[in-house]
Amino acid sequence: MEPITTITSRTLVMPRSDVDTDQIIPARFLRTTTREGLGLQLFADWRYLPDGKPNPEFELNKPSAQGCKVLVAGDNFGCGSSREHAPWALLQNGFRAIIAPSFGDIFYSNSLNNGLVVIRL
């Protein structure tokens, strides 16, 4: 794990509260024990339309989101089950830090253990 001293990036704002780990990485993608490919499944139910095409209304699919390493989220981000795949998917998608008013406790710990900076603001 590479230590983080400074992150320079634009931010992606996702003003949603109570985003649980099943929304971050849906359970159907948890068959893997590696991190590879999880970034493409990040927020899959919001990110893709039923036909598999990107949902142009979802924050992550907008051109301004490209290259963002910092996600600003609403209250209680990462609540729900204890899946370690959630921080893996965020990291695989290029995020290095999440800023939110509060986090699910297990998500918070899993994130720190995997090198994802989580900041309560």
Side-chain angles (χ1 to χ4, degrees), residues 75-118:
D75 194 40
N76 201 26
F77 188 84
C79 57
S81 68
S82 62
R83 62 187 66 163
E84 193 170 24
H85 293 70
W88 289 357
L90 287 157
L91 286 163
Q92 279 290 304
N93 199 76
F95 289 107
R96 296 303 309 253
I98 312 294
I99 301 171
S102 64
F103 295 92
D105 290 336
I106 298 172
F107 173 82
Y108 187 87
S109 296
N110 283 341
S111 295
L112 291 176
N113 290 337
N114 283 282
L116 181 62
V117 177
V118 281

mmCIF file of all heavy atoms in Angstrom, residues 75-118:
data_model
loop_
_atom_site.group_PDB
_atom_site.id
_atom_site.type_symbol
_atom_site.label_atom_id
_atom_site.label_comp_id
_atom_site.label_asym_id
_atom_site.label_seq_id
_atom_site.Cartn_x
_atom_site.Cartn_y
_atom_site.Cartn_z
ATOM 1 N N ASP A 75 -24.356 12.000 4.277
ATOM 2 C CA ASP A 75 -24.288 11.377 5.599
ATOM 3 C C ASP A 75 -24.430 9.855 5.517
ATOM 4 O O ASP A 75 -25.160 9.335 4.679
ATOM 5 C CB ASP A 75 -25.411 11.967 6.457
ATOM 6 C CG ASP A 75 -25.236 11.653 7.922
ATOM 7 O OD1 ASP A 75 -24.097 11.694 8.413
ATOM 8 O OD2 ASP A 75 -26.258 11.382 8.572
ATOM 9 N N ASN A 76 -23.715 9.149 6.371
ATOM 10 C CA ASN A 76 -23.829 7.702 6.556
ATOM 11 C C ASN A 76 -23.376 6.917 5.321
ATOM 12 O O ASN A 76 -23.999 5.929 4.940
ATOM 13 C CB ASN A 76 -25.264 7.331 6.954
ATOM 14 C CG ASN A 76 -25.346 5.985 7.636
ATOM 15 O OD1 ASN A 76 -24.389 5.514 8.233
ATOM 16 N ND2 ASN A 76 -26.506 5.371 7.560
ATOM 17 N N PHE A 77 -22.302 7.349 4.694
ATOM 18 C CA PHE A 77 -21.768 6.667 3.519
ATOM 19 C C PHE A 77 -21.141 5.338 3.937
ATOM 20 O O PHE A 77 -20.408 5.261 4.909
ATOM 21 C CB PHE A 77 -20.713 7.540 2.828
ATOM 22 C CG PHE A 77 -20.251 6.993 1.511
ATOM 23 C CD1 PHE A 77 -20.980 7.241 0.363
ATOM 24 C CD2 PHE A 77 -19.106 6.228 1.428
ATOM 25 C CE1 PHE A 77 -20.564 6.736 -0.860
ATOM 26 C CE2 PHE A 77 -18.677 5.719 0.216
ATOM 27 C CZ PHE A 77 -19.413 5.968 -0.935
ATOM 28 N N GLY A 78 -21.439 4.293 3.186
ATOM 29 C CA GLY A 78 -20.859 2.977 3.469
ATOM 30 C C GLY A 78 -21.542 2.224 4.592
ATOM 31 O O GLY A 78 -20.952 1.326 5.181
ATOM 32 N N CYS A 79 -22.783 2.555 4.872
ATOM 33 C CA CYS A 79 -23.517 1.814 5.897
ATOM 34 C C CYS A 79 -23.862 0.426 5.350
ATOM 35 O O CYS A 79 -23.609 0.127 4.186
ATOM 36 C CB CYS A 79 -24.779 2.569 6.305
ATOM 37 S SG CYS A 79 -25.906 2.937 4.947
ATOM 38 N N GLY A 80 -24.396 -0.419 6.166
ATOM 39 C CA GLY A 80 -24.814 -1.738 5.691
ATOM 40 C C GLY A 80 -23.816 -2.824 6.026
ATOM 41 O O GLY A 80 -23.132 -2.763 7.035
ATOM 42 N N SER A 81 -23.717 -3.799 5.142
ATOM 43 C CA SER A 81 -22.902 -4.983 5.417
ATOM 44 C C SER A 81 -21.412 -4.646 5.424
ATOM 45 O O SER A 81 -20.989 -3.587 5.016
ATOM 46 C CB SER A 81 -23.195 -6.069 4.376
ATOM 47 O OG SER A 81 -22.727 -5.669 3.119
ATOM 48 N N SER A 82 -20.647 -5.612 5.848
ATOM 49 C CA SER A 82 -19.218 -5.389 6.091
ATOM 50 C C SER A 82 -18.331 -5.730 4.906
ATOM 51 O O SER A 82 -17.165 -5.995 5.078
ATOM 52 C CB SER A 82 -18.788 -6.216 7.296
ATOM 53 O OG SER A 82 -18.971 -7.599 7.021
ATOM 54 N N ARG A 83 -18.850 -5.727 3.707
ATOM 55 C CA ARG A 83 -18.056 -6.175 2.560
ATOM 56 C C ARG A 83 -16.843 -5.289 2.295
ATOM 57 O O ARG A 83 -16.953 -4.098 2.096
ATOM 58 C CB ARG A 83 -18.918 -6.309 1.320
ATOM 59 C CG ARG A 83 -19.548 -5.031 0.860
ATOM 60 C CD ARG A 83 -20.507 -5.297 -0.259
ATOM 61 N NE ARG A 83 -21.610 -6.081 0.259
ATOM 62 C CZ ARG A 83 -22.759 -6.236 -0.332
ATOM 63 N NH1 ARG A 83 -22.973 -5.682 -1.493
ATOM 64 N NH2 ARG A 83 -23.718 -6.954 0.203
ATOM 65 N N GLU A 84 -15.693 -5.934 2.291
ATOM 66 C CA GLU A 84 -14.440 -5.250 2.000
ATOM 67 C C GLU A 84 -14.349 -4.854 0.526
ATOM 68 O O GLU A 84 -13.563 -4.008 0.132
ATOM 69 C CB GLU A 84 -13.268 -6.154 2.374
ATOM 70 C CG GLU A 84 -11.936 -5.466 2.415
ATOM 71 C CD GLU A 84 -10.860 -6.329 3.020
ATOM 72 O OE1 GLU A 84 -10.968 -7.556 3.008
ATOM 73 O OE2 GLU A 84 -9.878 -5.738 3.513
ATOM 74 N N HIS A 85 -15.196 -5.458 -0.284
ATOM 75 C CA HIS A 85 -15.211 -5.149 -1.717
ATOM 76 C C HIS A 85 -15.579 -3.686 -1.982
ATOM 77 O O HIS A 85 -15.225 -3.147 -3.034
ATOM 78 C CB HIS A 85 -16.202 -6.065 -2.442
ATOM 79 C CG HIS A 85 -15.790 -7.499 -2.446
ATOM 80 N ND1 HIS A 85 -15.788 -8.273 -1.304
ATOM 81 C CD2 HIS A 85 -15.371 -8.303 -3.451
ATOM 82 C CE1 HIS A 85 -15.397 -9.495 -1.615
ATOM 83 N NE2 HIS A 85 -15.134 -9.542 -2.916
ATOM 84 N N ALA A 86 -16.290 -3.036 -1.065
ATOM 85 C CA ALA A 86 -16.713 -1.644 -1.284
ATOM 86 C C ALA A 86 -15.503 -0.708 -1.397
ATOM 87 O O ALA A 86 -15.381 0.011 -2.389
ATOM 88 C CB ALA A 86 -17.688 -1.196 -0.200
ATOM 89 N N PRO A 87 -14.589 -0.687 -0.427
ATOM 90 C CA PRO A 87 -13.415 0.165 -0.628
ATOM 91 C C PRO A 87 -12.539 -0.305 -1.790
ATOM 92 O O PRO A 87 -11.933 0.505 -2.489
ATOM 93 C CB PRO A 87 -12.662 0.114 0.703
ATOM 94 C CG PRO A 87 -13.299 -0.928 1.520
ATOM 95 C CD PRO A 87 -14.634 -1.221 0.932
ATOM 96 N N TRP A 88 -12.491 -1.613 -2.037
ATOM 97 C CA TRP A 88 -11.724 -2.114 -3.186
ATOM 98 C C TRP A 88 -12.258 -1.501 -4.480
ATOM 99 O O TRP A 88 -11.498 -1.068 -5.332
ATOM 100 C CB TRP A 88 -11.816 -3.628 -3.286
ATOM 101 C CG TRP A 88 -11.091 -4.405 -2.241
ATOM 102 C CD1 TRP A 88 -10.302 -3.931 -1.229
ATOM 103 C CD2 TRP A 88 -11.096 -5.825 -2.102
ATOM 104 N NE1 TRP A 88 -9.824 -4.971 -0.473
ATOM 105 C CE2 TRP A 88 -10.294 -6.142 -0.983
ATOM 106 C CE3 TRP A 88 -11.712 -6.855 -2.799
ATOM 107 C CZ2 TRP A 88 -10.078 -7.452 -0.564
ATOM 108 C CZ3 TRP A 88 -11.495 -8.172 -2.381
ATOM 109 C CH2 TRP A 88 -10.692 -8.459 -1.281
ATOM 110 N N ALA A 89 -13.590 -1.487 -4.648
ATOM 111 C CA ALA A 89 -14.196 -0.957 -5.868
ATOM 112 C C ALA A 89 -13.920 0.538 -6.006
ATOM 113 O O ALA A 89 -13.634 1.026 -7.108
ATOM 114 C CB ALA A 89 -15.697 -1.231 -5.883
ATOM 115 N N LEU A 90 -14.005 1.271 -4.915
ATOM 116 C CA LEU A 90 -13.723 2.708 -4.956
ATOM 117 C C LEU A 90 -12.269 2.960 -5.358
ATOM 118 O O LEU A 90 -11.989 3.817 -6.204
ATOM 119 C CB LEU A 90 -14.038 3.342 -3.600
ATOM 120 C CG LEU A 90 -15.530 3.472 -3.300
ATOM 121 C CD1 LEU A 90 -15.784 3.550 -1.802
ATOM 122 C CD2 LEU A 90 -16.114 4.676 -4.019
ATOM 123 N N LEU A 91 -11.353 2.202 -4.773
ATOM 124 C CA LEU A 91 -9.941 2.344 -5.120
ATOM 125 C C LEU A 91 -9.680 1.953 -6.572
ATOM 126 O O LEU A 91 -8.945 2.638 -7.283
ATOM 127 C CB LEU A 91 -9.078 1.496 -4.177
ATOM 128 C CG LEU A 91 -8.924 2.052 -2.763
ATOM 129 C CD1 LEU A 91 -8.433 0.973 -1.809
ATOM 130 C CD2 LEU A 91 -7.975 3.245 -2.759
ATOM 131 N N GLN A 92 -10.280 0.857 -7.016
ATOM 132 C CA GLN A 92 -10.095 0.411 -8.397
ATOM 133 C C GLN A 92 -10.624 1.438 -9.397
ATOM 134 O O GLN A 92 -10.133 1.522 -10.507
ATOM 135 C CB GLN A 92 -10.807 -0.927 -8.631
ATOM 136 C CG GLN A 92 -10.042 -2.117 -8.149
ATOM 137 C CD GLN A 92 -8.822 -2.363 -9.018
ATOM 138 O OE1 GLN A 92 -8.938 -2.524 -10.228
ATOM 139 N NE2 GLN A 92 -7.660 -2.382 -8.401
ATOM 140 N N ASN A 93 -11.607 2.201 -8.990
ATOM 141 C CA ASN A 93 -12.155 3.239 -9.858
ATOM 142 C C ASN A 93 -11.311 4.516 -9.829
ATOM 143 O O ASN A 93 -11.560 5.437 -10.577
ATOM 144 C CB ASN A 93 -13.600 3.550 -9.469
ATOM 145 C CG ASN A 93 -14.340 4.242 -10.581
ATOM 146 O OD1 ASN A 93 -14.738 3.612 -11.549
ATOM 147 N ND2 ASN A 93 -14.492 5.547 -10.474
ATOM 148 N N GLY A 94 -10.325 4.563 -8.951
ATOM 149 C CA GLY A 94 -9.415 5.706 -8.906
ATOM 150 C C GLY A 94 -9.594 6.642 -7.735
ATOM 151 O O GLY A 94 -8.836 7.607 -7.578
ATOM 152 N N PHE A 95 -10.576 6.395 -6.884
ATOM 153 C CA PHE A 95 -10.761 7.254 -5.717
ATOM 154 C C PHE A 95 -9.685 6.956 -4.687
ATOM 155 O O PHE A 95 -9.340 5.808 -4.440
ATOM 156 C CB PHE A 95 -12.156 7.072 -5.100
ATOM 157 C CG PHE A 95 -13.243 7.636 -5.962
ATOM 158 C CD1 PHE A 95 -14.098 6.799 -6.657
ATOM 159 C CD2 PHE A 95 -13.398 9.005 -6.095
ATOM 160 C CE1 PHE A 95 -15.094 7.310 -7.471
ATOM 161 C CE2 PHE A 95 -14.390 9.531 -6.910
ATOM 162 C CZ PHE A 95 -15.238 8.680 -7.599
ATOM 163 N N ARG A 96 -9.166 8.015 -4.086
ATOM 164 C CA ARG A 96 -8.175 7.867 -3.026
ATOM 165 C C ARG A 96 -8.700 8.389 -1.697
ATOM 166 O O ARG A 96 -8.145 8.095 -0.651
ATOM 167 C CB ARG A 96 -6.892 8.629 -3.389
ATOM 168 C CG ARG A 96 -6.165 8.114 -4.614
ATOM 169 C CD ARG A 96 -5.765 6.630 -4.518
ATOM 170 N NE ARG A 96 -5.069 6.284 -3.312
ATOM 171 C CZ ARG A 96 -3.793 6.018 -3.196
ATOM 172 N NH1 ARG A 96 -3.034 6.040 -4.231
ATOM 173 N NH2 ARG A 96 -3.268 5.714 -2.038
ATOM 174 N N ALA A 97 -9.781 9.193 -1.737
ATOM 175 C CA ALA A 97 -10.336 9.757 -0.504
ATOM 176 C C ALA A 97 -11.840 9.944 -0.646
ATOM 177 O O ALA A 97 -12.341 10.250 -1.725
ATOM 178 C CB ALA A 97 -9.678 11.098 -0.189
ATOM 179 N N ILE A 98 -12.527 9.739 0.481
ATOM 180 C CA ILE A 98 -13.973 9.968 0.573
ATOM 181 C C ILE A 98 -14.183 10.952 1.719
ATOM 182 O O ILE A 98 -13.671 10.757 2.822
ATOM 183 C CB ILE A 98 -14.755 8.663 0.880
ATOM 184 C CG1 ILE A 98 -14.327 7.511 -0.023
ATOM 185 C CG2 ILE A 98 -16.257 8.922 0.826
ATOM 186 C CD1 ILE A 98 -14.642 7.682 -1.473
ATOM 187 N N ILE A 99 -14.950 11.992 1.454
ATOM 188 C CA ILE A 99 -15.283 12.982 2.476
ATOM 189 C C ILE A 99 -16.792 12.935 2.669
ATOM 190 O O ILE A 99 -17.549 13.030 1.701
ATOM 191 C CB ILE A 99 -14.859 14.403 2.039
ATOM 192 C CG1 ILE A 99 -13.361 14.454 1.782
ATOM 193 C CG2 ILE A 99 -15.272 15.429 3.092
ATOM 194 C CD1 ILE A 99 -12.885 15.755 1.141
ATOM 195 N N ALA A 100 -17.220 12.770 3.918
ATOM 196 C CA ALA A 100 -18.648 12.708 4.228
ATOM 197 C C ALA A 100 -18.861 13.102 5.691
ATOM 198 O O ALA A 100 -17.931 13.032 6.496
ATOM 199 C CB ALA A 100 -19.187 11.299 3.972
ATOM 200 N N PRO A 101 -20.085 13.484 6.045
ATOM 201 C CA PRO A 101 -20.366 13.815 7.449
ATOM 202 C C PRO A 101 -20.201 12.610 8.379
ATOM 203 O O PRO A 101 -19.792 12.762 9.525
ATOM 204 C CB PRO A 101 -21.818 14.297 7.439
ATOM 205 C CG PRO A 101 -22.073 14.718 6.033
ATOM 206 C CD PRO A 101 -21.233 13.804 5.178
ATOM 207 N N SER A 102 -20.535 11.409 7.881
ATOM 208 C CA SER A 102 -20.366 10.208 8.702
ATOM 209 C C SER A 102 -20.280 8.994 7.784
ATOM 210 O O SER A 102 -20.664 9.040 6.616
ATOM 211 C CB SER A 102 -21.521 10.053 9.698
ATOM 212 O OG SER A 102 -22.745 9.863 9.007
ATOM 213 N N PHE A 103 -19.774 7.900 8.356
ATOM 214 C CA PHE A 103 -19.565 6.653 7.620
ATOM 215 C C PHE A 103 -20.080 5.486 8.440
ATOM 216 O O PHE A 103 -20.113 5.552 9.677
ATOM 217 C CB PHE A 103 -18.064 6.418 7.381
ATOM 218 C CG PHE A 103 -17.415 7.436 6.500
ATOM 219 C CD1 PHE A 103 -16.812 8.566 7.051
ATOM 220 C CD2 PHE A 103 -17.398 7.289 5.132
ATOM 221 C CE1 PHE A 103 -16.211 9.513 6.245
ATOM 222 C CE2 PHE A 103 -16.787 8.223 4.314
ATOM 223 C CZ PHE A 103 -16.196 9.340 4.870
ATOM 224 N N GLY A 104 -20.418 4.401 7.750
ATOM 225 C CA GLY A 104 -20.658 3.152 8.446
ATOM 226 C C GLY A 104 -19.358 2.731 9.119
ATOM 227 O O GLY A 104 -18.282 2.859 8.519
ATOM 228 N N ASP A 105 -19.433 2.255 10.354
ATOM 229 C CA ASP A 105 -18.224 1.945 11.126
ATOM 230 C C ASP A 105 -17.319 0.917 10.448
ATOM 231 O O ASP A 105 -16.106 1.097 10.385
ATOM 232 C CB ASP A 105 -18.593 1.448 12.526
ATOM 233 C CG ASP A 105 -19.177 2.548 13.396
ATOM 234 O OD1 ASP A 105 -18.894 3.733 13.142
ATOM 235 O OD2 ASP A 105 -19.918 2.215 14.339
ATOM 236 N N ILE A 106 -17.891 -0.168 9.962
ATOM 237 C CA ILE A 106 -17.076 -1.218 9.352
ATOM 238 C C ILE A 106 -16.492 -0.729 8.028
ATOM 239 O O ILE A 106 -15.323 -0.990 7.723
ATOM 240 C CB ILE A 106 -17.883 -2.523 9.189
ATOM 241 C CG1 ILE A 106 -18.302 -3.037 10.566
ATOM 242 C CG2 ILE A 106 -17.076 -3.582 8.449
ATOM 243 C CD1 ILE A 106 -19.265 -4.197 10.534
ATOM 244 N N PHE A 107 -17.274 -0.005 7.232
ATOM 245 C CA PHE A 107 -16.754 0.567 5.995
ATOM 246 C C PHE A 107 -15.573 1.483 6.299
ATOM 247 O O PHE A 107 -14.555 1.450 5.602
ATOM 248 C CB PHE A 107 -17.845 1.339 5.244
ATOM 249 C CG PHE A 107 -17.322 2.090 4.060
ATOM 250 C CD1 PHE A 107 -17.122 1.436 2.848
ATOM 251 C CD2 PHE A 107 -16.994 3.438 4.154
ATOM 252 C CE1 PHE A 107 -16.608 2.125 1.750
ATOM 253 C CE2 PHE A 107 -16.490 4.132 3.064
ATOM 254 C CZ PHE A 107 -16.294 3.465 1.859
ATOM 255 N N TYR A 108 -15.702 2.294 7.321
ATOM 256 C CA TYR A 108 -14.639 3.224 7.706
ATOM 257 C C TYR A 108 -13.348 2.460 8.003
ATOM 258 O O TYR A 108 -12.289 2.783 7.469
ATOM 259 C CB TYR A 108 -15.097 4.030 8.928
ATOM 260 C CG TYR A 108 -14.167 5.144 9.338
ATOM 261 C CD1 TYR A 108 -14.289 6.409 8.769
ATOM 262 C CD2 TYR A 108 -13.192 4.946 10.304
ATOM 263 C CE1 TYR A 108 -13.447 7.450 9.144
ATOM 264 C CE2 TYR A 108 -12.342 5.979 10.683
ATOM 265 C CZ TYR A 108 -12.477 7.222 10.108
ATOM 266 O OH TYR A 108 -11.643 8.246 10.474
ATOM 267 N N SER A 109 -13.448 1.415 8.809
ATOM 268 C CA SER A 109 -12.271 0.607 9.156
ATOM 269 C C SER A 109 -11.702 -0.109 7.941
ATOM 270 O O SER A 109 -10.486 -0.124 7.730
ATOM 271 C CB SER A 109 -12.630 -0.430 10.229
ATOM 272 O OG SER A 109 -12.988 0.205 11.409
ATOM 273 N N ASN A 110 -12.567 -0.721 7.141
ATOM 274 C CA ASN A 110 -12.108 -1.419 5.932
ATOM 275 C C ASN A 110 -11.399 -0.458 4.982
ATOM 276 O O ASN A 110 -10.412 -0.822 4.343
ATOM 277 C CB ASN A 110 -13.276 -2.091 5.202
ATOM 278 C CG ASN A 110 -13.724 -3.369 5.853
ATOM 279 O OD1 ASN A 110 -13.006 -3.980 6.629
ATOM 280 N ND2 ASN A 110 -14.936 -3.785 5.540
ATOM 281 N N SER A 111 -11.912 0.754 4.872
ATOM 282 C CA SER A 111 -11.297 1.743 3.990
ATOM 283 C C SER A 111 -9.890 2.089 4.458
ATOM 284 O O SER A 111 -8.944 2.071 3.662
ATOM 285 C CB SER A 111 -12.160 2.999 3.927
ATOM 286 O OG SER A 111 -13.402 2.720 3.331
ATOM 287 N N LEU A 112 -9.753 2.394 5.724
ATOM 288 C CA LEU A 112 -8.440 2.733 6.254
ATOM 289 C C LEU A 112 -7.468 1.567 6.094
ATOM 290 O O LEU A 112 -6.298 1.763 5.717
ATOM 291 C CB LEU A 112 -8.534 3.129 7.727
ATOM 292 C CG LEU A 112 -9.253 4.455 8.018
ATOM 293 C CD1 LEU A 112 -9.351 4.681 9.515
ATOM 294 C CD2 LEU A 112 -8.548 5.627 7.333
ATOM 295 N N ASN A 113 -7.933 0.353 6.343
ATOM 296 C CA ASN A 113 -7.069 -0.828 6.217
ATOM 297 C C ASN A 113 -6.620 -1.084 4.785
ATOM 298 O O ASN A 113 -5.637 -1.781 4.556
ATOM 299 C CB ASN A 113 -7.771 -2.065 6.766
ATOM 300 C CG ASN A 113 -7.921 -2.033 8.265
ATOM 301 O OD1 ASN A 113 -7.183 -1.343 8.959
ATOM 302 N ND2 ASN A 113 -8.895 -2.757 8.790
ATOM 303 N N ASN A 114 -7.349 -0.545 3.814
ATOM 304 C CA ASN A 114 -7.032 -0.767 2.409
ATOM 305 C C ASN A 114 -6.428 0.468 1.727
ATOM 306 O O ASN A 114 -6.237 0.464 0.516
ATOM 307 C CB ASN A 114 -8.284 -1.214 1.654
ATOM 308 C CG ASN A 114 -8.577 -2.660 1.939
ATOM 309 O OD1 ASN A 114 -7.944 -3.554 1.385
ATOM 310 N ND2 ASN A 114 -9.537 -2.916 2.832
ATOM 311 N N GLY A 115 -6.134 1.505 2.496
ATOM 312 C CA GLY A 115 -5.464 2.674 1.946
ATOM 313 C C GLY A 115 -6.371 3.733 1.347
ATOM 314 O O GLY A 115 -5.900 4.617 0.634
ATOM 315 N N LEU A 116 -7.667 3.650 1.630
ATOM 316 C CA LEU A 116 -8.608 4.667 1.169
ATOM 317 C C LEU A 116 -8.800 5.672 2.312
ATOM 318 O O LEU A 116 -9.219 5.283 3.411
ATOM 319 C CB LEU A 116 -9.948 4.024 0.799
ATOM 320 C CG LEU A 116 -11.052 4.931 0.278
ATOM 321 C CD1 LEU A 116 -10.631 5.604 -1.029
ATOM 322 C CD2 LEU A 116 -12.333 4.132 0.074
ATOM 323 N N VAL A 117 -8.477 6.914 2.067
ATOM 324 C CA VAL A 117 -8.607 7.946 3.091
ATOM 325 C C VAL A 117 -10.062 8.291 3.274
ATOM 326 O O VAL A 117 -10.780 8.555 2.303
ATOM 327 C CB VAL A 117 -7.812 9.211 2.687
ATOM 328 C CG1 VAL A 117 -8.004 10.330 3.705
ATOM 329 C CG2 VAL A 117 -6.336 8.886 2.527
ATOM 330 N N VAL A 118 -10.528 8.257 4.517
ATOM 331 C CA VAL A 118 -11.921 8.626 4.823
ATOM 332 C C VAL A 118 -11.884 9.783 5.814
ATOM 333 O O VAL A 118 -11.229 9.703 6.843
ATOM 334 C CB VAL A 118 -12.738 7.424 5.365
ATOM 335 C CG1 VAL A 118 -13.173 6.517 4.247
ATOM 336 C CG2 VAL A 118 -11.956 6.618 6.382
#
